[in-house]
Amino acid sequence: MAIPNSTAFNSIIRFRSPEEEKRIVSELTTSLNEGDSYFVISKRSLQILILVDSSYVVHKLNVACRWYTSWQKYIASIGGGAPRPGPIDNSDIIDDTTSDGDPQLRRYLVEDEDYVLVPRQVWKTLLEWCMSLSIYLSSLLMHAWSPLKMLYARNVHNVTDIRLAKEASIRELYVKVCAKSLYVKVKQARIWDYLNRRKVKLLDPLSNASLEESGLLMDQDILLEVDEVGLAGLVNLGNTCYMNSTLQCLAHTPSILQYFLRDYTHQGELTKAFGELLKELWSSRKKALAPSFFKTKLDKAAPQFSGHYQYDSHELLISLLARLHEVSDVCQGQCKSTLVCPVCGKIANTYDSFTSLSLPLPSTRTWSISFLSCLENFLAEEPLGPNNMWFCPESKEKRKANKKLDLLKLPEILVLHLKRFRTSKYFVKKIDTFVNFPINDLDLSKYVKNKNGESYLYELYAVSNHYIGPGGVRHYTAYAKLIDYNKWYHFNDSYVSPVNESVVRSKAAYLLFYRRRVGSETKAQSSEVSMTD
């Protein structure tokens, strides 16, 4: 909202007689042309002027207490019997409690009772006579405004206000509704006239009929149904299942998806290719897409993944996040590594950032372990091995030391890497231990040193899985959740299928993707979850 310069109104205004003002306003009112803009002037105890132009841009002007009524009495009096209205003021028909922060006209105003309409030239003349400033509003605030309540078919308790003029068409309603829903295109949407929790009529997205003509009244409910999107698979280009698994997890990361679905100009060929692939995944009706263009750009940007060999999904994830500078911050946390030398009492602190936490799994033969026990072991103080002793800068000797890791800040998107591979000189062994990790309520608040009163409550939304088949053949898949629909799906290269949430926890879980519940009032339950087969 901007307040225009008041210099133009600071000139000396010659006060006219009541008869002269009445004549001028009468002449201006009779010389109207089609398409002229009108102002709303309040007739209530406190007044307001609103300019509604042809683009439905509204300009608010303060008007004095009983100003219009007082002015009518003034021009009706002969010889100045009634006093001339004073400085302009207002408040009573403006609602300052709206969620978007801009003042709006109150609802249920009645023409000729709460307000009157005057042409632009009348408004300008009254404005000059009153030496007032106008305050500009950027949203539609006119008597023809028709606020609607949009409900989502997937969750009718989720309600969004839609503000349009009564003259707006059904076609414009579809555009407005889809703009409110990030993932939705007009061709995927169906809007219903929704009365008393019943579908009354499906609205035609091509219709030019106005909301008023279509019977959509103030505060009327409309229902939005959307074809599910984000369910396209990725073709395996030859041992690229590790890439497909990682890409599906990132494609279903809300903050990353929101960034790339907007029309930003992305720097770097790999970033552009990644953004184009995400847009295609969330708009295509194809069952599977071939990520060939992205793979070409990946080979160029990160040659270590070139060719058609089987690489590691965690290594690819770290490499991608390092290159996707625009969104890497949402995955970035901070930690402190402390080295303590018992012999000399020296302490050395090192501060680092991370985009994932790699949690070692116990080497003992254990059928299952708790996720939190893995995390606590990861953060516990431990002695450095004989091949990793601390070099003391004073004695210039290597000494035994203990290492302790502290979490200082956790990111919005937390990626946890379960270290399932143990490498020796001659072989790589996979640890197939079942890790019992939380899905809906992972509360890490007590593990963060610098909480500042913040809650670190997370929910799982994606998993990268690793399997070893006959003959040692490795394969990656992904589980990802369509958060808006509260449904889980299995992404196995080109094949996508719905799954029950209970199957997401498995011995194949390799990368866990959690998103933080910012400002959630939900009290975290125990992070220890019941054991499942």
Side-chain angles (χ1 to χ4, degrees), residues 231-489:
L231 297 178
L234 290 170
V235 176
N236 193 321
L237 304 176
N239 290 324
T240 57
C241 57
Y242 73 97
M243 182 183 76
N244 292 345
S245 173
T246 305
L247 288 174
Q248 292 289 8
C249 292
L250 291 177
H252 290 82
T253 299
S255 51
I256 293 179
L257 177 62
Q258 289 171 9
Y259 178 88
F260 281 99
L261 285 186
R262 297 188 177 100
D263 292 328
Y264 288 116
T265 301
H266 308 299
Q267 301 298 322
E269 293 184 4
L270 181 63
T271 306
K272 291 179 181 178
F274 179 78
E276 290 173 7
L277 180 60
L278 258 61
K279 286 184 178 181
E280 196 173 1
L281 279 172
W282 281 86
S283 62
S284 175
R285 291 179 177 271
K286 296 179 181 178
K287 291 185 177 180
L289 305 172
S292 306
F293 182 71
F294 174 81
K295 182 62 167 66
T296 300
K297 298 302 179 183
L298 176 64
D299 291 354
K300 182 178 179 181
Q304 66 270 34
F305 298 104
S306 61
H308 297 280
Y309 301 97
Q310 184 68 275
Y311 295 104
D312 182 77
S313 66
H314 180 241
E315 292 177 0
L316 175 63
L317 174 69
I318 297 303
S319 181
L320 277 178
L321 291 178
R323 289 167 171 80
L324 300 176
H325 306 292
E326 292 84 351
V327 294
S328 59
D329 287 350
V330 299
C331 300
Q332 196 167 90
Q334 294 178 343
C335 63
K336 179 182 72 173
S337 178
T338 302
L339 288 176
V340 180
C341 182
V343 177
C344 60
K346 292 292 182 181
I347 299 177
N349 292 322
T350 304
Y351 296 86
D352 292 301
S353 60
F354 62 86
T355 52
S356 70
L357 293 177
S358 296
L359 308 183
L361 303 186
S363 56
T364 57
R365 288 185 173 274
T366 306
W367 184 83
S368 67
I369 55 174
S370 161
F371 164 80
L372 288 184
S373 66
C374 295
L375 179 63
E376 289 169 357
N377 289 335
F378 174 67
L379 298 176
E381 184 174 323
E382 62 178 356
L384 296 178
N387 297 325
N388 194 24
M389 298 178 68
W390 180 60
F391 181 79
C392 178
E394 293 186 4
S395 64
K396 309 298 182 183
E397 295 180 0
K398 289 186 176 182
R399 296 184 179 276
K400 292 182 179 179
N402 294 332
K403 181 180 180 180
K404 173 73 170 67
L405 188 70
D406 291 314
L407 300 175
L408 303 181
K409 180 183 177 182
L410 293 181
E412 174 190 342
I413 301 300
L414 178 62
V415 181
L416 299 171
H417 169 220
L418 303 180
K419 297 180 70 173
R420 292 194 175 277
F421 300 104
R422 193 167 305 281
T423 305
S424 69
K425 186 176 180 180
Y426 301 104
F427 61 88
V428 176
K429 179 183 178 182
K430 183 183 178 184
I431 302 173
D432 278 325
T433 300
F434 177 88
V435 179
N436 195 20
F437 52 86
I439 293 180
N440 296 312
D441 294 300
L442 172 60
D443 191 357
L444 299 179
S445 302
K446 71 176 183 179
Y447 299 100
V448 182
K449 294 297 181 182
N450 297 339
K451 290 190 288 290
N452 295 324
E454 295 182 76
S455 171
Y456 287 92
L457 183 63
Y458 289 86
E459 64 176 341
L460 187 75
Y461 69 88
V463 179
S464 175
N465 302 304
H466 178 273
Y467 302 89
I468 296 183
V473 176
R474 296 189 294 169
H475 184 59
Y476 289 87
T477 69
Y479 290 121
K481 183 180 181 180
L482 289 189
I483 295 174
D484 286 346
Y485 296 88
N486 195 31
K487 294 181 180 179
W488 282 91
Y489 290 86

Side-chain angles (χ1 to χ4, degrees), residues 8 23 70 75 222 283 415 417 505 507 520:
R23 177 184 58 78
S70 298
I75 62 173
I222 56 176
S283 62
V415 181
H417 169 220
R505 277 195 298 260
K507 295 191 296 181
S520 173

